[in-house]
Amino acid sequence: MAPPLGLVKRLLLRSGSLSHTLTRSAFIARKPDHNKPNWGKVGLTFGTAAALWVLLFKQHNEDVMEYERRREEREKHDACTGCS
């Protein structure tokens, strides 16, 4: 049977080896410096946005072409059935 989790934590905290890793935060909270922007993140953000817009327009054009092809197909089919 495995020992209870609370017992394991207490033993690890008593040894001192894990006390800093369990109590110290991995994140540092600081206010953003608006005078010195992170140009890497700015470029990545705008580049991603531009790429998504390009993909959106490309997909839209493909959808319009598919719509027009199906509409012409339907008109041909309707014209042929109307003749007979």
Side-chain angles (χ1 to χ4, degrees), residues 13-31:
L13 287 175
R14 276 191 187 159
S15 67
S17 62
L18 224 67
S19 63
H20 277 294
T21 58
L22 291 177
T23 58
R24 187 173 176 173
S25 175
F27 302 102
I28 299 172
R30 42 183 177 168
K31 293 182 180 180

Side-chain angles (χ1 to χ4, degrees), residues 65-78:
M65 287 173 45
E66 179 70 16
Y67 169 76
E68 289 173 355
R69 184 188 65 79
R70 289 185 183 195
R71 187 181 66 191
E72 288 174 5
E73 223 175 66
R74 188 178 60 236
E75 287 174 357
K76 286 181 186 177
H77 179 71
D78 290 344

Side-chain angles (χ1 to χ4, degrees), residues 10 18 23 27-28 31 36 43 50 54 59 62 72 80 84:
R10 275 188 278 148
L18 224 67
T23 58
F27 302 102
I28 299 172
K31 293 182 180 180
K36 292 172 24 177
V54 167
Q59 184 66 46
E62 289 175 2
E72 288 174 5
C80 291
S84 54

